[in-house]
Amino acid sequence: MKNLEIAKIFYLMAEFVEMDKASFISIAYNKAGRILESLEKDIEDIYYKGGTNELKKISGIGEGIARKIEEYIKTGKIKRYQELKKKCPVDLEKLTSIEGLGAKRIKFLYENLKVKNIKDLERVAQAGKIAELDGFGEKSEKNIIQSIEIAKADKGRFLLGKILPIVRKIIDELKKLPETEKISIAGSVRRMKETVGDVDILVASSNPKKIIDYFVKMKGISKIWAKGATKSSVRFRAGFDCDLRVVEKESFGSALQYFTGSKEHNIATRRIAIKNKLKLNEYGVYKDNKQIAGKNEKEVYRSIGLQYIEPELRNNTGEIEASFENKLPNLIGYNDIKGETHCHSDWSDASFTIEKLAKIAKEIGYEYLVITDHASPLGIVHGLDGKRILKQMQEIDRVNKKVSGIKILKGTEVDIRADGSLFIEDKVLSQLDFVLGAVHSGLKMDKENMTERLIKAMKNPHLDAIAHPFGRVIQKREGYQLDFPKILKIAKQTKTALEINAHEKRLDLRDVHIRQAINEGVKITIGTDVHNVNYFKMMELGIAQARRGWAEKKDILNTLSTNDFLKYFNL
Ligand code: DGT
Ligand code: CA
Ligand code: CA
């Protein structure tokens, strides 16, 4: 399928166009990218069925975009893209991943310092040349250096959201072998860590040779690092490494416990075993050299005197002590969410109509869907003002009458201005079911001012929750500093919820923040920030994040039914 390939080119064209000025053309290119990305059918199939006319039947694709798609399918190139790239031949994809570098600044750096890629960027930043440029200064230079370091430190790690679907396919493939008696994901993927170093898979089989031989010949493998009798290590073309281990059925539970980690958790469990005069290793639990457990994981924990510990908690951050005292949390389950609380439509910067979104959410099985389009002065997100929000509310009423079996709630993702006031007037906000506030500009504020900014926003009685509270983007920016205990205190007082933004690149709040929030009795919503149909699936990542933060069902507001959810914010 070429869908993603072409989508990427449209996104890059949008950035190139923005180098000169933000315009409706860059908005159109971005939109085309999102449409292609979320298209379930193969764009080539659509094209070959009826040419550009067929392409234009896709909602949101017009003549100009259809021609470009045709050009790519026919020639493998888009001339306009090549022209744009020739004017400013930089590695735009990598450079835009650096915090603080948008299209305009990248062009400026290219023209003034010949920066074409990250290596050039690092060189000129270290030499202090960026600070001397107009409009940059020392602070920008420091930020750029920091951002390059973040990118480097995380180099070689992969987003969980990107890895999971691929790993599940590998598992399904291995499951087909009759010799596979049991199989499980292990390592950081099983613990649902935000980013993953390598993938670990564990198989139980009495015929390891068959499994290993099959594994190393699987589709998508680009390199075999090692192939032994019971283990193998390979590189997949997608870029990540994968370790496979085959054990006997009798040891599957203890091997799973060992290879799930984390290492810190393992060291602690082994110590407990020793205290109980037992030996715990990947083969089993032994008492005087006799195996007393090992076949399944629950039994392994029980045999050393512990309550079963969910993989997401295995970080040696108190889970062992809690397990001892039977005080482990009853974690929110992966099927507990009843509604999506963060969703954009074609009223702002996404591609689907409200009606289409309603149908998708209904199909997922949700009871409700909150439409939270941007309310913002930023042209690029095509933000709504108060007047358009009122109009959109009428459209939601219409859809609610038309589509049964799901309730569309009226919401907004309103910009929190630098002074903490909201971009939309109170008399409009007061008519909405759910007001999500977000910081989208002035991200470089210092800790004290940013904390005050959020506190002022939370004190607005109409604000219900704060979206992506720290503004972090994984592998790109750490997010701003907040006096979090203070934020929690006010959140509790004002009954403001904090969001876990479930987008694979955000996962903001982090696990430690979630734990602090629920300890203080602050409630949480999980939202995926829907911009196209693929986003809905990221709910799983948000739930995993909640679980890693020790959250129970009662802590997460969108596990409530429609009525209880509405009641919570309107009492
Ligand atoms: P990653 O791959 O960096 O995202 O993180 P993990 O946790 O998947 O680490 P990995 O792949 O190196 O090892 C998988 C598991 O194997 C790890 O979580 C715990 C276990 N393990 C690996 N090395 C050691 C070790 O030296 N001691 C102990 N106790 N366990 C280990
Ligand atoms: Ca691993
Ligand atoms: Ca590994």
Side-chain angles (χ1 to χ4, degrees):
M1 263 198 6
K2 294 206 169 123
N3 299 19
L4 296 181
E5 225 169 286
I6 307 177
K8 193 160 127 188
I9 294 177
F10 276 110
Y11 285 133
L12 289 171
M13 282 203 290
E15 298 271 3
F16 274 122
V17 169
E18 261 173 52
M19 284 181 168
D20 295 316
K21 63 175 196 295
S23 72
F24 67 92
I25 299 179
S26 58
I27 293 178
Y29 286 159
N30 270 324
K31 193 168 165 189
R34 277 196 297 272
I35 292 171
L36 281 161
E37 217 173 49
S38 61
L39 205 61
E40 293 195 357
K41 286 192 198 132
D42 190 332
I43 192 77
E44 278 185 290
D45 289 348
I46 298 175
Y47 174 73
Y48 286 124
K49 211 173 120 200
T52 50
N53 279 335
E54 202 62 28
L55 293 176
K56 283 193 285 184
K57 285 186 193 157
I58 304 169
S59 149
I61 300 241
E63 177 72 23
I65 300 290
R67 290 260 168 253
K68 289 196 170 51
I69 297 174
E70 174 179 54
E71 194 188 338
Y72 190 83
I73 292 173
K74 277 186 167 167
T75 68
K77 280 188 235 152
I78 295 177
K79 227 169 83 201
R80 181 74 192 124
Y81 172 62
Q82 311 248 304
E83 287 165 11
L84 287 164
K85 202 171 153 90
K86 212 163 152 194
K87 270 192 1 200
C88 185
V90 297
D91 184 350
L92 197 51
E93 207 186 345
K94 292 268 164 52
L95 287 172
T96 46
S97 77
I98 297 298
E99 168 68 357
L101 285 193
K104 281 205 178 84
R105 289 189 138 195
I106 290 171
K107 184 183 175 201
F108 192 73
L109 287 170
Y110 170 68
E111 286 176 346
N112 287 282
L113 297 173
K114 293 266 159 299
V115 170
K116 286 187 173 175
N117 49 41
I118 302 270
K119 235 171 121 185
D120 295 344
L121 182 69
E122 190 173 17
R123 187 168 34 78
V124 296
Q126 297 288 7
K129 289 193 178 149
I130 291 181
E132 295 165 3
L133 290 177
D134 258 5
F136 277 84
E138 260 171 47
K139 214 167 149 194
S140 305
E141 186 171 85
K142 222 178 91 200
N143 285 330
I144 287 172
I145 292 172
Q146 225 172 33
S147 181
I148 294 173
E149 268 159 20
I150 293 172
K152 270 195 196 159
D154 239 2
K155 206 172 157 229
R157 292 191 75 80
F158 297 82
L159 293 179
L160 178 65
K162 290 267 180 287
I163 290 280
L164 259 185
I166 309 176
V167 179
R168 286 179 176 149
K169 272 196 202 131
I170 300 172
I171 297 265
D172 284 346
E173 187 66 27
L174 289 169
K175 258 187 194 161
K176 285 189 200 148
L177 279 182
E179 287 80 7
T180 300
E181 293 161 35
K182 278 182 175 176
I183 185 162
S184 176
I185 300 175
S188 52
V189 181
R190 184 161 180 246
R191 302 196 313 279
M192 298 291 271
K193 244 186 104 168
E194 297 163 351
T195 62
V196 167
D198 74 354
V199 170
D200 302 276
I201 296 176
L202 185 71
V203 169
S205 176
S206 49
N207 191 346
K209 187 176 175 331
K210 249 317 206 335
I211 307 275
I212 299 281
D213 284 346
Y214 184 84
F215 176 69
V216 297
K217 288 199 194 94
M218 270 172 72
K219 242 170 66 186
I221 287 178
S222 61
K223 216 176 234 161
I224 301 171
W225 299 120
K227 180 179 180 245
T230 59
K231 58 183 179 187
S232 170
S233 181
V234 302
R235 159 87 37 101
F236 276 85
R237 233 179 279 134
F240 63 86
D241 290 342
C242 178
D243 289 344
L244 174 81
R245 289 179 187 79
V246 187
V247 298
E248 282 174 28
K249 222 161 64 184
E250 276 59 42
S251 295
F252 187 73
S254 39
L256 186 57
Q257 198 276 331
Y258 181 86
F259 290 115
T260 295
S262 65
K263 197 170 156 185
E264 293 73 19
H265 174 87
N266 286 355
I267 291 169
T269 47
R270 211 177 314 144
R271 219 174 266 149
I272 287 172
I274 291 169
K275 251 193 212 154
N276 290 327
K277 303 220 157 37
L278 301 167
K279 198 173 95 190
L280 166 65
N281 59 31
E282 57 204 273
Y283 303 102
V285 184
Y286 298 87
K287 186 175 190 172
D288 308 326
N289 290 328
K290 192 175 157 265
Q291 190 186 17
I292 59 162
K295 205 166 173 166
N296 76 60
E297 212 183 29
K298 288 209 164 91
E299 188 186 282
V300 168
Y301 280 100
R302 205 181 311 126
S303 70
I304 59 171
L306 292 176
Q307 209 188 338
Y308 177 72
I309 299 171
E310 297 285 354
E312 292 91 331
L313 299 182
R314 299 184 196 171
N315 299 304
N316 196 24
T317 51
E319 76 278 11
I320 309 237
E321 295 78 354
S323 167
F324 257 134
E325 297 166 9
N326 276 330
K327 278 189 183 154
L328 281 170
N330 185 11
L331 297 182
I332 173 184
Y334 283 100
N335 293 317
D336 283 342
I337 294 293
K338 296 219 171 77
E340 171 64 67
T341 54
H342 192 156
C343 177
H344 298 270
S345 76
D346 62 353
W347 284 68
S348 65
D349 62 341
S351 49
F352 284 136
T353 62
I354 294 173
E355 190 172 330
K356 171 86 182 170
L357 288 164
K359 287 174 181 159
I360 297 169
K362 180 179 164 177
E363 215 160 275
I364 293 171
Y366 285 149
E367 272 183 31
Y368 51 98
L369 167 70
V370 195
I371 300 293
T372 55
D373 273 313
H374 289 287
S376 158
L378 294 177
I380 187 143
V381 297
H382 199 221
L384 279 69
D385 55 14
K387 240 190 191 157
R388 279 182 74 221
I389 291 183
L390 293 173
K391 251 188 155 169
Q392 188 186 47
M393 289 171 70
Q394 291 174 5
E395 168 64 6
I396 292 178
D397 286 336
R398 188 191 70 79
V399 175
N400 270 330
K401 277 197 199 108
K402 192 168 168 202
V403 185
S404 65
I406 177 123
K407 176 93 176 159
I408 309 302
L409 301 180
K410 296 162 184 166
T412 178
E413 181 183 9
V414 60
D415 272 17
I416 300 172
R417 294 194 187 103
D419 65 0
S421 66
L422 303 181
F423 177 70
I424 297 290
E425 54 275 27
D426 284 357
K427 73 171 195 296
V428 174
L429 295 180
S430 68
Q431 298 175 57
L432 292 168
D433 297 315
F434 184 67
V435 175
L436 196 53
V439 169
H440 285 127
S441 54
L443 302 173
K444 288 280 172 242
M445 219 173 240
D446 64 26
K447 183 172 172 177
E448 198 182 331
N449 283 315
M450 191 59 100
T451 304
E452 282 313 310
R453 180 179 181 180
L454 289 189
I455 286 177
K456 167 110 189 279
M458 287 192 281
K459 285 187 174 164
N460 180 318
H462 304 298
L463 188 96
D464 295 314
I466 305 259
H468 39 74
F470 281 84
R472 75 162 333 192
V473 177
I474 297 176
Q475 294 171 340
K476 182 168 174 178
R477 60 174 193 239
E478 292 285 353
Y480 30 80
Q481 302 276 316
L482 288 174
D483 182 341
F484 200 51
K486 210 164 161 188
I487 295 279
L488 291 176
K489 203 176 115 206
I490 307 293
K492 179 87 194 280
Q493 265 171 27
T494 58
K495 244 180 135 183
T496 309
L498 299 181
E499 177 187 78
I500 296 175
N501 191 290
H503 191 279
E504 61 190 14
K505 286 190 193 154
R506 285 196 182 263
L507 294 171
D508 174 13
L509 303 170
R510 288 176 164 89
D511 50 6
V512 287
H513 298 139
I514 297 167
R515 226 169 135 182
Q516 286 168 24
I518 62 181
N519 277 339
E520 295 303 319
V522 171
K523 300 289 181 194
I524 285 167
T525 60
I526 309 179
T528 68
D529 217 339
V530 176
H531 278 84
N532 72 45
V533 63
N534 297 330
Y535 283 60
F536 282 103
K537 295 184 197 118
M538 296 190 208
M539 186 54 81
E540 181 187 17
L541 306 176
I543 298 170
Q545 187 84 346
R547 287 166 64 89
R548 293 194 303 105
W550 292 50
E552 304 195 345
K553 192 173 168 182
K554 67 169 174 30
D555 301 311
I556 311 293
L557 291 171
N558 47 331
T559 61
L560 295 172
S561 67
T562 316
N563 280 339
D564 290 343
F565 180 80
L566 287 173
K567 252 193 246 158
Y568 182 86
F569 292 110
N570 295 299
L571 276 185

